Amino acid sequence: MPTLYVLKGTNEGTTIPLDGDKFVLGRNPDCDIVIAATSVSREHAQIIRINNRYYIEDKQSRNGTYINNQAVTTRIPLQHNDKIRICDFQAAFLDPPPPSSSTGDYLSGEEVPESISTVEAMLSNGSSNLLQTQPAEKLRHLLEISSNLNKTLHLDALMPKMVDSLFQLFRQADRCFIIQAEEGTNRLLPRVVRTRRPHEEATARPSKTIVRKCLESSQAFLSDDASHDERIQLSQSVVDFRIRSVMCVPLCTPDGKAFGVIQLDTQDRGKKFTQEDLKLLLGVANQAAIAMENARLHEEAVQRERLRRDLELATRVQSSFLPSSLPQVPGYGFYACYQPAQAVGGDYYGFIPLPQGRWAVAVGDVAGKGVSAALLMAKLSSDMRFCFLTEPDPAQALGKLNNQLYPFTSTMDRFVTLAVIVLDPMQHTATLVSAGHPSPLLMRCGSTSLQEAVPKATAGLPLGMVEDCTYDSCQLQLQAGDNLFLFSDGVPDALDGGNNPFSLTGIQRVVQEAGAVSVAVLGERIIKAVAQHASGRDAHDDITLVCLGRTI
């Protein structure tokens, strides 16, 4: 009767008879074979019998079902010694065929001889058969390797110890290599190079021909004498290093793709590796590959956490460049809102106190997003303060700022747009300058319509595009109840689910519906309206809004 032998997971080491027509595997207690793990679907897969043949099929599970490391996408017939893997659960389908006397030199994951499947299961589970068939010393080294691999995520320190154990396990071996293939290239990167004669390690080289053959096929390779093996082209390394018997086994990801190899070879014709040696080395490689994959995932998690902390710090640093409070100016009200699209952004706003009680109110936008835009924004913040404090004329100050930023920008992908209002609360005037930025909007007292405060003829080029660029200014007389709105293009360009922008019409609509309210209330309602418009979509650009108004 066919059976399932549990190699790993729930009820490890038990045998389950398949004496029915259907067996459901999953975490649901009602399943025929219960796998108690949250990563397993409630009804994950099923084994069915049709005309005395057994098949396995996946039941649209979250994490998939695998046979011999191949994903199950259709109904697949089961053969003796097929390995079933569901998340961390592993089992072997046992339906012994008539005895076979032939084995090959290549060991494939798709056509697995009975002996290799049995040995791999033994290595994974430490069954009594392994104790009976292997010398005690080999068993000790195998267990030592397995134990060490399960104890650490720092493989750079562990791998040399593993190689030392391999030399004890395979006493005929003269050299050992652990090699990884660099992702995205064809380069072979030696992780460990070890020889029995330490003085030879500096010049030791593996056979690239054998290594690449193993990597490309994801199959283990065994040769009695590489110098006379017709399956491989005789290479210079085989000749130079007198490579005789050689074993090379792949290190594979869970989906069966080889990312590295372990190669052992001899330099003595009298020392040969056997099929049994190859099976043992393949078992070690399987465990090493799992440990290396776990170490890689751990390193990625560490890198993500490090990046998260760096971004948190960058966010705090960037926030320090922005105003911590609104200006307190008798007769005037202010509002400001800044929402970066990412952890850090390229928008800028500032309130800079100037001589004679004046204030520079600015909103800028660095082309691009993320860290590079944030760095240029930080420079803009400090340089703007310097330029507007040292140059009383706003147009001249903007030209000076342009030259400060020019060496750090690019006309193609890195420049800055900026709009500045220099407010004189004593004279109730607003002097406006613009460097390629959307014009501030003016709402006069008693009106609900908006008009552009900076004529198109007055607006200049973005900062950093042309050196020694000159800028013009214009001036407004502010009456009681007049309001000015400065914003980055993230406000009108905010998109809804149908890719329709909020646009200036959206700002106009909010102003008309608000009526006679303070500038702070107007600012809050505009930001709320933008958020409602873009509900359900991630922000694609930084959003900045600054409002100022003369109170009634």
Side-chain angles (χ1 to χ4, degrees), residues 159-173:
M159 282 187 181
K161 295 180 181 179
M162 185 179 76
V163 171
D164 290 339
S165 295
L166 289 176
F167 273 130
Q168 296 298 319
L169 189 61
F170 305 102
R171 293 192 179 278
Q172 66 270 55

Side-chain angles (χ1 to χ4, degrees), residues 231-306:
R231 296 170 301 168
I232 58 172
Q233 184 178 358
L234 186 63
S235 63
Q236 193 63 40
S237 59
V238 171
V239 175
D240 291 345
F241 296 104
R242 306 187 310 280
I243 298 176
R244 301 307 178 190
S245 187
V246 59
M247 294 190 297
C248 190
V249 296
L251 299 164
C252 295
T253 59
D255 60 1
K257 182 180 179 182
F259 64 87
V261 302
I262 300 176
Q263 178 184 309
L264 287 171
D265 60 51
T266 72
Q267 296 174 311
D268 188 333
R269 290 182 184 274
K271 298 177 181 179
K272 295 183 182 298
F273 296 114
T274 65
Q275 283 281 346
E276 195 67 23
D277 292 329
L278 187 64
K279 298 168 191 174
L280 293 177
L281 183 58
L282 187 59
V284 172
N286 288 340
Q287 296 180 68
I290 293 172
M292 293 172 75
E293 183 70 6
N294 289 340
R296 182 187 67 81
L297 294 174
H298 172 72
E299 180 61 25
E300 287 182 357
V302 170
Q303 291 289 351
R304 286 196 299 270
E305 177 61 20
R306 186 178 295 122

Side-chain angles (χ1 to χ4, degrees), residues 515-533:
V517 294
S518 69
V519 70
V521 173
L522 276 175
E524 290 175 355
R525 292 187 180 181
I526 291 172
I527 292 298
K528 183 179 180 180
V530 171
Q532 290 175 341
H533 178 82

Side-chain angles (χ1 to χ4, degrees), residues 313-322 338 344-349 352 364-366 370-386 401 404-405 408 414 416:
L313 177 60
T315 301
R316 292 197 297 270
V317 171
Q318 185 180 38
S319 297
S320 69
F321 289 104
L322 299 175
Y338 172 68
V344 291
D347 275 9
Y348 160 79
Y349 78 94
I352 304 173
D365 188 355
V366 177
V371 174
S372 59
L375 291 173
L376 188 54
M377 186 278 271
K379 179 170 177 58
L380 169 66
S381 175
S382 60
D383 287 355
M384 180 175 168
R385 181 173 296 273
F386 169 76
L401 178 60
Q404 291 278 92
L405 295 176
F408 304 95
R414 190 67 69 229
V416 180

Side-chain angles (χ1 to χ4, degrees), residues 388-402:
F388 277 79
L389 282 171
T390 56
E391 177 56 62
D393 180 77
Q396 295 292 328
L398 197 61
K400 190 173 184 178
L401 178 60
N402 174 72

Side-chain angles (χ1 to χ4, degrees), residues 317-485:
V317 171
Q318 185 180 38
S319 297
S320 69
F321 289 104
L322 299 175
S324 58
S325 61
L326 299 174
Q328 300 298 315
V329 179
Y332 284 85
F334 295 86
Y335 172 84
C337 178
Y338 172 68
Q339 297 175 355
Q342 300 178 6
V344 291
D347 275 9
Y348 160 79
Y349 78 94
F351 302 110
I352 304 173
L354 303 177
Q356 289 85 48
R358 298 178 304 148
W359 283 84
V361 180
V363 168
D365 188 355
V366 177
K369 293 181 285 293
V371 174
S372 59
L375 291 173
L376 188 54
M377 186 278 271
K379 179 170 177 58
L380 169 66
S381 175
S382 60
D383 287 355
M384 180 175 168
R385 181 173 296 273
F386 169 76
C387 292
F388 277 79
L389 282 171
T390 56
E391 177 56 62
D393 180 77
Q396 295 292 328
L398 197 61
K400 190 173 184 178
L401 178 60
N402 174 72
N403 287 345
Q404 291 278 92
L405 295 176
Y406 181 77
F408 304 95
T409 58
S410 163
T411 57
M412 296 298 294
D413 60 359
R414 190 67 69 229
F415 53 86
V416 180
T417 66
L418 183 71
V420 184
I421 298 174
V422 176
L423 174 66
D424 186 341
M426 302 299 294
Q427 303 296 324
H428 301 299
T429 60
T431 304
L432 294 86
V433 290
S434 176
H437 198 81
S439 171
L441 299 178
L442 171 66
M443 184 182 74
R444 290 293 188 182
C445 179
S447 172
T448 56
S449 64
L450 298 173
Q451 63 187 71
E452 293 187 349
V454 177
K456 288 181 171 56
T458 303
L461 291 173
L463 300 174
M465 296 194 73
V466 177
E467 193 172 14
D468 296 326
C469 184
T470 58
Y471 294 89
D472 296 323
S473 64
C474 62
Q475 192 173 84
L476 298 173
Q477 191 71 38
L478 295 179
Q479 307 298 325
D482 288 352
N483 296 318
L484 282 164
F485 304 89

